[in-house]
Structures are given as C-alpha cells and as structure tokens.
Amino acid sequence: MRRASRSPIRRFYTAAASLLVAAAGLSGCGGSPAPAPSAGSAPSAPVVTGSGKKVGVALASMNHNFFIGMRQGVEEQLERDGMQAEIVVAEDSASQQQQQVDQLIQKGVSAIVMVPVDAQQAVNPVKAANAAKIPIFCIDRRVTAEGAEVACTVETDNAAMGEMAAQHGLKLLCDRYKLDAAKPDDVKKLKATVVHLWGLEAASSAQDRAKGFDRVFNATATPGVKILKAVGDFNAKKSQEVLAPVLSANPGIELVFCHNDDNAVGALNAVMDVKKGRERADDPKRVLIVGMDGNRAAIEAIRKGDIEATVSQEPIDMGAETVRQVKKVLEGGQPDKPYIAVRHHLVTKQEADAMKDKLWSDQLKGGV
C-alpha cells in the first residue's frame, strides 16, 4: 500500500489512526430491540448501602475513546455513589476476560460490570458470577448465548444505530443523483457501489449494526446497489489497510458504511492514500464516509468537512446509567428493566458545529 501523503491534515488523521485501536462499539428509525436472551432477574446479592463497596469493571479494550468515555462515566458515578472500581482490561481476548472475571470473583467484588469481548463465549464468565452469587451487568454489548443470568444490559440500540447511519448514507447517494430517498421507487433506481466496513464480527454490536444496514441496503429495497464487504475490526489502522486495495480495485465506490468511527478514520486515511487527497464536498466522485460512535477524531474530521457524518452514542451516560442499576441491585432492589437502551443521534457538520462542547467527545477527559 502506498504510504500516506504528509500534508498537515493527513498527519492529523494518521496520528489518530495510530493511537486509536478500537473495540466494538459501539454500537435510527428501527423499533426497540428484543431483550437480550441472557437478561433476567438479578442474581441474589447481599443488601448493602454501597458505601465503600468495590465493583469489578471488566472492559474489552481501552484503546479508543469510546471505552475511555465509558470508563469515565462508570468511575464518576461510582464515586458519586460512594463505591470503588476494580478495573481490568481484556485487550479483546475472550479467554483473558474469563480469567479476569474469575479473579474479580476471587477478590470478592460486590458486583461486576462487563463489556463482553465475544457475544457467545461471554456466557462463561457470566455463569461464574452467577455461581458466586455476584450480580453481573453487561454494558455496550450483549451476551447472546443462553444459560446465564445477566442482571441488566445497558447499551445503545445498535441495530437502530446501524439503520440510522445507513439511511443517512442512502440519502447522500440519492441526493447526488437527484433521487428522493423517501420514495421506494426512486431508491430502486439508484446505481452505486457501497462498502460495508465491519467491526469485530464476534461482537454483538457489530452483528446488530449489520442488521441495521441490511434493513436499508438489500436486494429488495436497493437492487441497483452493489455491496462490498470488508472487515476492519473496529480498528483504524486495519480499516485503512483492508480498504485501500478495495478502493483501488473498485474506483466506482461511492460510500463507505463504517461500523464505528475508528473504521471511519481508517477509511478516510485509505481514501486519502488512494485518491492522493480528499475531494471537495460537492465533487460527484467523492467517496462518502459515514461512521458510528461519535469519537473525537471523527467529530473533528466532520467539523473539517472530511467525514460526512456519524451516529453518536453516549458512552459517558451509558457508564453512569449502568452504575445506577448496580446500586439498585446492591441495595436489594431490581434494575429498572432487564434491557436499557441509551440514546443515539445523527451528527453531521451542522450538528457538530452547533453542539461544540456539548458532545461527549468534547467532554471526554482523556483519550486522543
């Protein structure tokens, strides 16, 4: 792959790509998702006041801003509620996450909050927590395997997120060809090539976002749209590496639908590699890029006009909400619901500029 150009803008995104190694994220107009198969009533736990109690927090990764924001929300809410955090990071390894949860159980934590690395394999640490009578909560991703009890799952409706992002991408394409995206007959006239750039295929968030994409782009609704699949693993560097040859081999690509914003930043870098720069917003040959999560690097690229849009999650709120549910259970109650969906919203350049300092990426205390 040809090395990137060294313009100031290019250096900014290359730096972002080298620092951001995403895990699943994260995460429209669809209906509410069905409750996770693993969700159920909270396992029995001692009734405590929360004062000084330790909560185990098993994260999948800390290599990009989304999880940094989630951790921020968890830690801030635990502090407000007088509890402490014992944080472990699995580096996207399901087996390592199993070992870490076992260690948290041995340390006698009062509850566990977990971002499942693998939607199926995560049933094992959940079962271990169940056996130890320690309530376990899932955040950002679900456990899809049966046979274990999760007290509560707090995440974004990832299928709805995927659908919202896909609908925006479809509208951009239809606008380009003077078609009305709200009219099915017009949409069927659309001829275009779209890359579906996946995240981690084993993550429930990626699977759900793909379902949202398929609601919009499919053989019935968009028969004239050719879909190419690539897998970026929620990782900016890998996304850049896998997409560049796809772009070179398919010069007619017009849209890259990205499972998260690290994928989107990688896609932008790949486009700049192959095209030797970024086309103007009104250039009919411009490759459109739509991501998800609302990460800082993507928001900055949207403000600069280099990425079209993202569908933002609220990881800081997600972390805080999960801790609020933990507190309810530790005080002898039940979570509000077995499945809680945190809001998501579309962010284009207009919203990114208007909401400066109000987006979670602007409020993030760490990260890049």
Side-chain angles (χ1 to χ4, degrees):
M1 182 178 71
R2 193 182 67 81
R3 295 184 66 86
S5 62
R6 305 306 296 172
S7 68
I9 292 177
R10 185 65 185 83
R11 286 197 297 271
F12 169 79
Y13 294 122
T14 301
S18 66
L19 289 170
L20 298 177
V21 183
L26 272 199
S27 49
C29 301
S32 298
S38 57
S41 60
S44 58
V47 176
V48 297
T49 63
S51 178
K53 294 296 176 180
K54 186 170 287 188
V55 174
V57 182
L59 298 175
S61 170
M62 275 290 291
N63 290 328
H64 78 137
N65 285 345
F66 182 84
F67 286 122
I68 294 172
M70 181 187 298
R71 176 174 176 167
Q72 178 179 322
V74 167
E75 289 185 309
E76 289 176 349
Q77 190 63 40
L78 283 172
E79 184 177 359
R80 284 191 287 268
D81 290 338
M83 294 185 281
Q84 303 172 20
E86 176 84 16
I87 296 176
V88 293
V89 182
E91 303 299 346
D92 290 327
S93 166
S95 60
Q96 184 168 325
Q97 185 165 72
Q98 170 75 69
Q99 295 171 2
Q100 290 175 338
V101 171
D102 288 342
Q103 292 167 359
L104 291 172
I105 291 169
Q106 292 168 8
K107 289 182 178 182
V109 295
S110 299
I112 295 171
V113 172
M114 179 177 72
V115 180
V117 170
D118 186 292
Q120 288 284 316
Q121 294 185 52
V123 71
N124 297 314
V126 174
K127 284 181 176 179
N130 292 165
K133 305 295 184 185
I134 297 174
I136 186 164
F137 300 74
C138 286
I139 181 172
D140 182 51
R141 304 176 188 168
R142 294 174 289 113
V143 178
T144 57
E146 297 182 358
E149 250 180 35
V150 174
C152 178
T153 297
V154 181
E155 65 172 358
T156 308
D157 182 343
N158 284 287
M161 269 186 75
E163 184 175 5
M164 179 180 281
Q167 285 177 334
H168 186 68
L170 177 64
K171 183 180 184 305
L172 292 174
L173 290 173
C174 286
D175 288 349
R176 174 173 286 181
Y177 291 102
K178 296 179 171 53
L179 299 171
D180 188 342
K183 295 180 178 179
D185 287 342
D186 261 20
V187 172
K188 288 179 181 179
K189 298 175 185 176
L190 179 66
K191 307 285 186 184
T193 301
V194 174
V195 177
H196 184 173
L197 186 56
W198 273 69
L200 283 167
E201 291 185 282
S204 66
S205 54
Q207 295 161 12
D208 289 346
R209 292 175 189 193
K211 291 176 184 176
F213 175 85
D214 291 343
R215 292 174 186 170
V216 177
F217 290 97
N218 56 68
T220 301
T222 56
V225 176
K226 180 181 179 181
I227 307 298
L228 304 176
K229 178 181 176 181
V231 180
D233 287 348
F234 291 130
N235 180 296
K237 185 173 185 293
K238 181 171 181 181
S239 294
Q240 179 179 356
E241 291 172 349
V242 301
L243 186 60
V246 176
L247 291 168
S248 296
N250 300 274
I253 288 170
E254 294 190 62
L255 169 68
V256 184
F257 171 89
C258 304
H259 274 203
N260 81 339
D261 282 338
D262 295 279
N263 280 16
V265 169
L268 173 60
N269 288 338
V271 167
M272 294 175 76
D273 276 348
V274 173
K275 300 266 191 175
K276 299 180 174 61
R278 189 68 170 125
E279 304 97 331
R280 296 186 321 177
D282 59 354
D283 189 330
K285 295 183 179 180
R286 176 180 169 106
V287 178
L288 306 167
I289 300 171
V290 178
M292 283 176 270
D293 284 351
N295 283 359
R296 183 179 288 161
I299 293 296
E300 289 304 314
I302 289 169
R303 287 173 176 151
K304 289 175 182 287
D306 289 331
I307 289 177
E308 272 60 43
T310 185
V311 176
S312 182
Q313 300 195 73
E314 296 295 339
I316 298 174
D317 290 348
M318 188 184 295
E321 180 59 39
T322 305
V323 173
R324 284 191 282 269
Q325 301 306 315
V326 170
K327 185 172 184 287
K328 287 176 183 287
V329 171
L330 291 182
E331 289 179 342
Q334 293 289 324
D336 292 338
K337 293 183 291 186
Y339 182 95
I340 296 173
V342 177
R343 78 184 185 97
H344 60 276
H345 54 101
L346 181 69
V347 180
T348 65
K349 188 177 190 308
Q350 180 178 348
E351 286 83 17
D353 290 340
M355 298 178 68
K356 190 170 178 60
D357 300 327
K358 296 179 181 178
L359 297 172
W360 74 262
S361 61
D362 298 321
Q363 297 171 355
L364 189 67
K365 294 179 180 177
V368 294

mmCIF file of all heavy atoms in Angstrom, residues 200-237:
data_model
loop_
_atom_site.group_PDB
_atom_site.id
_atom_site.type_symbol
_atom_site.label_atom_id
_atom_site.label_comp_id
_atom_site.label_asym_id
_atom_site.label_seq_id
_atom_site.Cartn_x
_atom_site.Cartn_y
_atom_site.Cartn_z
ATOM 1 N N LEU A 200 -15.656 -5.857 14.716
ATOM 2 C CA LEU A 200 -15.339 -7.219 15.151
ATOM 3 C C LEU A 200 -16.554 -8.106 14.899
ATOM 4 O O LEU A 200 -17.613 -7.897 15.488
ATOM 5 C CB LEU A 200 -14.989 -7.237 16.640
ATOM 6 C CG LEU A 200 -13.600 -6.742 17.039
ATOM 7 C CD1 LEU A 200 -13.532 -6.527 18.542
ATOM 8 C CD2 LEU A 200 -12.535 -7.732 16.610
ATOM 9 N N GLU A 201 -16.395 -9.103 14.070
ATOM 10 C CA GLU A 201 -17.547 -9.899 13.674
ATOM 11 C C GLU A 201 -18.152 -10.690 14.832
ATOM 12 O O GLU A 201 -19.333 -11.035 14.798
ATOM 13 C CB GLU A 201 -17.165 -10.844 12.533
ATOM 14 C CG GLU A 201 -16.871 -10.110 11.232
ATOM 15 C CD GLU A 201 -16.619 -11.034 10.071
ATOM 16 O OE1 GLU A 201 -15.495 -11.568 9.998
ATOM 17 O OE2 GLU A 201 -17.538 -11.245 9.266
ATOM 18 N N ALA A 202 -17.365 -10.998 15.873
ATOM 19 C CA ALA A 202 -17.879 -11.760 17.014
ATOM 20 C C ALA A 202 -18.633 -10.896 18.017
ATOM 21 O O ALA A 202 -19.278 -11.424 18.927
ATOM 22 C CB ALA A 202 -16.726 -12.480 17.726
ATOM 23 N N ALA A 203 -18.561 -9.574 17.872
ATOM 24 C CA ALA A 203 -19.197 -8.667 18.830
ATOM 25 C C ALA A 203 -20.666 -8.457 18.485
ATOM 26 O O ALA A 203 -21.023 -8.257 17.324
ATOM 27 C CB ALA A 203 -18.473 -7.316 18.847
ATOM 28 N N SER A 204 -21.530 -8.488 19.502
ATOM 29 C CA SER A 204 -22.962 -8.296 19.256
ATOM 30 C C SER A 204 -23.243 -6.933 18.651
ATOM 31 O O SER A 204 -24.166 -6.777 17.841
ATOM 32 C CB SER A 204 -23.757 -8.464 20.562
ATOM 33 O OG SER A 204 -23.459 -7.435 21.490
ATOM 34 N N SER A 205 -22.443 -5.925 19.013
ATOM 35 C CA SER A 205 -22.663 -4.583 18.471
ATOM 36 C C SER A 205 -22.450 -4.570 16.957
ATOM 37 O O SER A 205 -23.224 -3.942 16.212
ATOM 38 C CB SER A 205 -21.739 -3.576 19.151
ATOM 39 O OG SER A 205 -20.388 -3.989 19.074
ATOM 40 N N ALA A 206 -21.415 -5.255 16.477
ATOM 41 C CA ALA A 206 -21.173 -5.315 15.033
ATOM 42 C C ALA A 206 -22.282 -6.092 14.327
ATOM 43 O O ALA A 206 -22.772 -5.685 13.265
ATOM 44 C CB ALA A 206 -19.816 -5.959 14.754
ATOM 45 N N GLN A 207 -22.693 -7.198 14.919
ATOM 46 C CA GLN A 207 -23.763 -8.000 14.325
ATOM 47 C C GLN A 207 -25.052 -7.199 14.218
ATOM 48 O O GLN A 207 -25.756 -7.253 13.196
ATOM 49 C CB GLN A 207 -23.975 -9.255 15.164
ATOM 50 C CG GLN A 207 -22.773 -10.197 15.165
ATOM 51 C CD GLN A 207 -22.790 -11.185 16.313
ATOM 52 O OE1 GLN A 207 -23.800 -11.332 17.006
ATOM 53 N NE2 GLN A 207 -21.675 -11.865 16.538
ATOM 54 N N ASP A 208 -25.364 -6.437 15.267
ATOM 55 C CA ASP A 208 -26.588 -5.653 15.259
ATOM 56 C C ASP A 208 -26.510 -4.484 14.278
ATOM 57 O O ASP A 208 -27.496 -4.143 13.608
ATOM 58 C CB ASP A 208 -26.895 -5.132 16.660
ATOM 59 C CG ASP A 208 -27.345 -6.231 17.612
ATOM 60 O OD1 ASP A 208 -27.677 -7.332 17.119
ATOM 61 O OD2 ASP A 208 -27.364 -5.993 18.832
ATOM 62 N N ARG A 209 -25.352 -3.846 14.185
ATOM 63 C CA ARG A 209 -25.204 -2.737 13.241
ATOM 64 C C ARG A 209 -25.330 -3.226 11.807
ATOM 65 O O ARG A 209 -25.871 -2.517 10.941
ATOM 66 C CB ARG A 209 -23.874 -2.017 13.488
ATOM 67 C CG ARG A 209 -23.874 -1.291 14.814
ATOM 68 C CD ARG A 209 -22.545 -0.660 15.165
ATOM 69 N NE ARG A 209 -22.592 -0.172 16.545
ATOM 70 C CZ ARG A 209 -21.696 0.639 17.095
ATOM 71 N NH1 ARG A 209 -20.669 1.053 16.384
ATOM 72 N NH2 ARG A 209 -21.816 1.025 18.350
ATOM 73 N N ALA A 210 -24.841 -4.437 11.565
ATOM 74 C CA ALA A 210 -25.002 -5.029 10.242
ATOM 75 C C ALA A 210 -26.480 -5.278 9.932
ATOM 76 O O ALA A 210 -26.934 -5.084 8.793
ATOM 77 C CB ALA A 210 -24.216 -6.333 10.156
ATOM 78 N N LYS A 211 -27.245 -5.686 10.941
ATOM 79 C CA LYS A 211 -28.689 -5.873 10.742
ATOM 80 C C LYS A 211 -29.356 -4.554 10.366
ATOM 81 O O LYS A 211 -30.240 -4.506 9.496
ATOM 82 C CB LYS A 211 -29.331 -6.436 12.009
ATOM 83 C CG LYS A 211 -28.943 -7.869 12.328
ATOM 84 C CD LYS A 211 -29.542 -8.316 13.654
ATOM 85 C CE LYS A 211 -29.081 -9.710 14.027
ATOM 86 N NZ LYS A 211 -29.584 -10.111 15.378
ATOM 87 N N GLY A 212 -28.927 -3.477 11.027
ATOM 88 C CA GLY A 212 -29.470 -2.163 10.693
ATOM 89 C C GLY A 212 -29.137 -1.760 9.268
ATOM 90 O O GLY A 212 -29.983 -1.208 8.540
ATOM 91 N N PHE A 213 -27.905 -2.029 8.844
ATOM 92 C CA PHE A 213 -27.504 -1.742 7.467
ATOM 93 C C PHE A 213 -28.369 -2.525 6.487
ATOM 94 O O PHE A 213 -28.843 -1.986 5.479
ATOM 95 C CB PHE A 213 -26.026 -2.107 7.289
ATOM 96 C CG PHE A 213 -25.520 -1.977 5.874
ATOM 97 C CD1 PHE A 213 -25.083 -0.759 5.391
ATOM 98 C CD2 PHE A 213 -25.475 -3.083 5.034
ATOM 99 C CE1 PHE A 213 -24.615 -0.636 4.078
ATOM 100 C CE2 PHE A 213 -25.013 -2.972 3.731
ATOM 101 C CZ PHE A 213 -24.582 -1.748 3.250
ATOM 102 N N ASP A 214 -28.593 -3.795 6.798
ATOM 103 C CA ASP A 214 -29.367 -4.655 5.894
ATOM 104 C C ASP A 214 -30.832 -4.241 5.793
ATOM 105 O O ASP A 214 -31.501 -4.586 4.816
ATOM 106 C CB ASP A 214 -29.278 -6.111 6.364
ATOM 107 C CG ASP A 214 -27.893 -6.701 6.178
ATOM 108 O OD1 ASP A 214 -27.093 -6.136 5.406
ATOM 109 O OD2 ASP A 214 -27.587 -7.735 6.818
ATOM 110 N N ARG A 215 -31.346 -3.540 6.787
ATOM 111 C CA ARG A 215 -32.710 -3.032 6.687
ATOM 112 C C ARG A 215 -32.845 -1.982 5.591
ATOM 113 O O ARG A 215 -33.924 -1.795 5.014
ATOM 114 C CB ARG A 215 -33.143 -2.403 8.017
ATOM 115 C CG ARG A 215 -33.324 -3.379 9.171
ATOM 116 C CD ARG A 215 -33.597 -2.610 10.455
ATOM 117 N NE ARG A 215 -33.636 -3.480 11.625
ATOM 118 C CZ ARG A 215 -33.672 -3.038 12.891
ATOM 119 N NH1 ARG A 215 -33.690 -1.723 13.127
ATOM 120 N NH2 ARG A 215 -33.699 -3.880 13.891
ATOM 121 N N VAL A 216 -31.747 -1.298 5.310
ATOM 122 C CA VAL A 216 -31.769 -0.190 4.341
ATOM 123 C C VAL A 216 -31.253 -0.635 2.979
ATOM 124 O O VAL A 216 -31.867 -0.367 1.946
ATOM 125 C CB VAL A 216 -30.940 0.996 4.880
ATOM 126 C CG1 VAL A 216 -30.885 2.134 3.854
ATOM 127 C CG2 VAL A 216 -31.513 1.493 6.203
ATOM 128 N N PHE A 217 -30.096 -1.301 2.975
ATOM 129 C CA PHE A 217 -29.475 -1.758 1.734
ATOM 130 C C PHE A 217 -29.689 -3.266 1.595
ATOM 131 O O PHE A 217 -29.090 -4.065 2.319
ATOM 132 C CB PHE A 217 -27.975 -1.443 1.727
ATOM 133 C CG PHE A 217 -27.658 0.019 1.602
ATOM 134 C CD1 PHE A 217 -27.390 0.789 2.726
ATOM 135 C CD2 PHE A 217 -27.636 0.641 0.353
ATOM 136 C CE1 PHE A 217 -27.090 2.137 2.621
ATOM 137 C CE2 PHE A 217 -27.345 1.987 0.233
ATOM 138 C CZ PHE A 217 -27.074 2.749 1.365
ATOM 139 N N ASN A 218 -30.551 -3.639 0.674
ATOM 140 C CA ASN A 218 -30.849 -5.050 0.446
ATOM 141 C C ASN A 218 -31.374 -5.220 -0.975
ATOM 142 O O ASN A 218 -31.683 -4.246 -1.668
ATOM 143 C CB ASN A 218 -31.847 -5.579 1.484
ATOM 144 C CG ASN A 218 -33.135 -4.787 1.522
ATOM 145 O OD1 ASN A 218 -33.922 -4.809 0.573
ATOM 146 N ND2 ASN A 218 -33.345 -4.041 2.618
ATOM 147 N N ALA A 219 -31.475 -6.466 -1.410
ATOM 148 C CA ALA A 219 -31.839 -6.751 -2.801
ATOM 149 C C ALA A 219 -33.214 -6.237 -3.178
ATOM 150 O O ALA A 219 -33.470 -5.897 -4.344
ATOM 151 C CB ALA A 219 -31.761 -8.256 -3.051
ATOM 152 N N THR A 220 -34.113 -6.145 -2.209
ATOM 153 C CA THR A 220 -35.466 -5.673 -2.490
ATOM 154 C C THR A 220 -35.538 -4.151 -2.567
ATOM 155 O O THR A 220 -36.087 -3.585 -3.511
ATOM 156 C CB THR A 220 -36.445 -6.177 -1.410
ATOM 157 O OG1 THR A 220 -36.428 -7.607 -1.384
ATOM 158 C CG2 THR A 220 -37.858 -5.695 -1.693
ATOM 159 N N ALA A 221 -34.960 -3.480 -1.553
ATOM 160 C CA ALA A 221 -35.078 -2.024 -1.482
ATOM 161 C C ALA A 221 -34.092 -1.307 -2.400
ATOM 162 O O ALA A 221 -34.420 -0.259 -2.967
ATOM 163 C CB ALA A 221 -34.871 -1.563 -0.045
ATOM 164 N N THR A 222 -32.882 -1.847 -2.534
ATOM 165 C CA THR A 222 -31.831 -1.183 -3.319
ATOM 166 C C THR A 222 -31.211 -2.176 -4.310
ATOM 167 O O THR A 222 -30.026 -2.520 -4.194
ATOM 168 C CB THR A 222 -30.746 -0.602 -2.394
ATOM 169 O OG1 THR A 222 -30.222 -1.676 -1.570
ATOM 170 C CG2 THR A 222 -31.295 0.493 -1.508
ATOM 171 N N PRO A 223 -31.980 -2.661 -5.273
ATOM 172 C CA PRO A 223 -31.470 -3.688 -6.195
ATOM 173 C C PRO A 223 -30.309 -3.230 -7.057
ATOM 174 O O PRO A 223 -29.524 -4.058 -7.541
ATOM 175 C CB PRO A 223 -32.698 -4.031 -7.047
ATOM 176 C CG PRO A 223 -33.562 -2.808 -6.986
ATOM 177 C CD PRO A 223 -33.368 -2.270 -5.596
ATOM 178 N N GLY A 224 -30.176 -1.914 -7.248
ATOM 179 C CA GLY A 224 -29.100 -1.401 -8.086
ATOM 180 C C GLY A 224 -27.819 -1.087 -7.340
ATOM 181 O O GLY A 224 -26.860 -0.580 -7.934
ATOM 182 N N VAL A 225 -27.778 -1.373 -6.030
ATOM 183 C CA VAL A 225 -26.600 -1.066 -5.217
ATOM 184 C C VAL A 225 -25.771 -2.331 -5.024
ATOM 185 O O VAL A 225 -26.260 -3.355 -4.543
ATOM 186 C CB VAL A 225 -27.000 -0.479 -3.849
ATOM 187 C CG1 VAL A 225 -25.762 -0.257 -2.985
ATOM 188 C CG2 VAL A 225 -27.747 0.836 -4.046
ATOM 189 N N LYS A 226 -24.512 -2.256 -5.385
ATOM 190 C CA LYS A 226 -23.569 -3.360 -5.192
ATOM 191 C C LYS A 226 -22.895 -3.191 -3.830
ATOM 192 O O LYS A 226 -22.363 -2.117 -3.524
ATOM 193 C CB LYS A 226 -22.528 -3.368 -6.299
ATOM 194 C CG LYS A 226 -21.491 -4.482 -6.180
ATOM 195 C CD LYS A 226 -20.471 -4.387 -7.319
ATOM 196 C CE LYS A 226 -19.416 -5.467 -7.209
ATOM 197 N NZ LYS A 226 -18.402 -5.360 -8.297
ATOM 198 N N ILE A 227 -22.925 -4.242 -3.000
ATOM 199 C CA ILE A 227 -22.349 -4.179 -1.653
ATOM 200 C C ILE A 227 -21.052 -4.973 -1.614
ATOM 201 O O ILE A 227 -21.012 -6.151 -1.981
ATOM 202 C CB ILE A 227 -23.319 -4.748 -0.588
ATOM 203 C CG1 ILE A 227 -24.684 -4.062 -0.681
ATOM 204 C CG2 ILE A 227 -22.716 -4.593 0.804
ATOM 205 C CD1 ILE A 227 -24.666 -2.590 -0.415
ATOM 206 N N LEU A 228 -19.982 -4.337 -1.185
ATOM 207 C CA LEU A 228 -18.697 -4.998 -0.960
ATOM 208 C C LEU A 228 -18.444 -5.062 0.541
ATOM 209 O O LEU A 228 -18.637 -4.070 1.246
ATOM 210 C CB LEU A 228 -17.569 -4.230 -1.642
ATOM 211 C CG LEU A 228 -17.714 -3.987 -3.156
ATOM 212 C CD1 LEU A 228 -16.565 -3.126 -3.656
ATOM 213 C CD2 LEU A 228 -17.769 -5.305 -3.913
ATOM 214 N N LYS A 229 -18.017 -6.211 1.033
ATOM 215 C CA LYS A 229 -17.759 -6.364 2.469
ATOM 216 C C LYS A 229 -16.256 -6.319 2.747
ATOM 217 O O LYS A 229 -15.461 -6.933 2.034
ATOM 218 C CB LYS A 229 -18.329 -7.688 2.976
ATOM 219 C CG LYS A 229 -18.064 -7.933 4.462
ATOM 220 C CD LYS A 229 -18.624 -9.275 4.915
ATOM 221 C CE LYS A 229 -18.274 -9.551 6.382
ATOM 222 N NZ LYS A 229 -18.791 -10.854 6.855
ATOM 223 N N ALA A 230 -15.895 -5.593 3.795
ATOM 224 C CA ALA A 230 -14.533 -5.596 4.323
ATOM 225 C C ALA A 230 -14.645 -5.618 5.837
ATOM 226 O O ALA A 230 -15.660 -5.219 6.401
ATOM 227 C CB ALA A 230 -13.753 -4.376 3.845
ATOM 228 N N VAL A 231 -13.606 -6.094 6.506
ATOM 229 C CA VAL A 231 -13.641 -6.223 7.965
ATOM 230 C C VAL A 231 -12.494 -5.425 8.567
ATOM 231 O O VAL A 231 -11.321 -5.728 8.348
ATOM 232 C CB VAL A 231 -13.550 -7.705 8.413
ATOM 233 C CG1 VAL A 231 -13.591 -7.805 9.938
ATOM 234 C CG2 VAL A 231 -14.685 -8.516 7.797
ATOM 235 N N GLY A 232 -12.844 -4.386 9.316
ATOM 236 C CA GLY A 232 -11.833 -3.513 9.913
ATOM 237 C C GLY A 232 -11.621 -3.709 11.389
ATOM 238 O O GLY A 232 -10.781 -3.039 11.996
ATOM 239 N N ASP A 233 -12.387 -4.603 12.021
ATOM 240 C CA ASP A 233 -12.202 -4.949 13.442
ATOM 241 C C ASP A 233 -12.306 -3.762 14.391
ATOM 242 O O ASP A 233 -11.645 -3.741 15.433
ATOM 243 C CB ASP A 233 -10.862 -5.658 13.663
ATOM 244 C CG ASP A 233 -10.867 -7.083 13.141
ATOM 245 O OD1 ASP A 233 -11.954 -7.596 12.812
ATOM 246 O OD2 ASP A 233 -9.781 -7.688 13.066
ATOM 247 N N PHE A 234 -13.102 -2.744 14.047
ATOM 248 C CA PHE A 234 -13.211 -1.548 14.895
ATOM 249 C C PHE A 234 -11.846 -0.887 15.105
ATOM 250 O O PHE A 234 -11.581 -0.290 16.147
ATOM 251 C CB PHE A 234 -13.803 -1.890 16.273
ATOM 252 C CG PHE A 234 -15.252 -2.283 16.246
ATOM 253 C CD1 PHE A 234 -15.672 -3.440 16.884
ATOM 254 C CD2 PHE A 234 -16.198 -1.505 15.624
ATOM 255 C CE1 PHE A 234 -17.008 -3.805 16.894
ATOM 256 C CE2 PHE A 234 -17.537 -1.860 15.617
ATOM 257 C CZ PHE A 234 -17.951 -3.023 16.254
ATOM 258 N N ASN A 235 -10.965 -1.000 14.131
ATOM 259 C CA ASN A 235 -9.576 -0.585 14.272
ATOM 260 C C ASN A 235 -9.199 0.327 13.116
ATOM 261 O O ASN A 235 -9.364 -0.055 11.948
ATOM 262 C CB ASN A 235 -8.700 -1.848 14.302
ATOM 263 C CG ASN A 235 -7.225 -1.565 14.456
ATOM 264 O OD1 ASN A 235 -6.640 -0.950 13.587
ATOM 265 N ND2 ASN A 235 -6.640 -2.030 15.538
ATOM 266 N N ALA A 236 -8.706 1.510 13.408
ATOM 267 C CA ALA A 236 -8.406 2.488 12.364
ATOM 268 C C ALA A 236 -7.311 2.000 11.421
ATOM 269 O O ALA A 236 -7.437 2.109 10.196
ATOM 270 C CB ALA A 236 -8.006 3.819 13.006
ATOM 271 N N LYS A 237 -6.237 1.471 11.980
ATOM 272 C CA LYS A 237 -5.110 1.037 11.149
ATOM 273 C C LYS A 237 -5.521 -0.117 10.236
ATOM 274 O O LYS A 237 -5.218 -0.126 9.039
ATOM 275 C CB LYS A 237 -3.935 0.632 12.029
ATOM 276 C CG LYS A 237 -2.670 0.277 11.264
ATOM 277 C CD LYS A 237 -1.516 0.053 12.237
ATOM 278 C CE LYS A 237 -0.204 -0.191 11.475
ATOM 279 N NZ LYS A 237 -0.216 -1.457 10.727
#
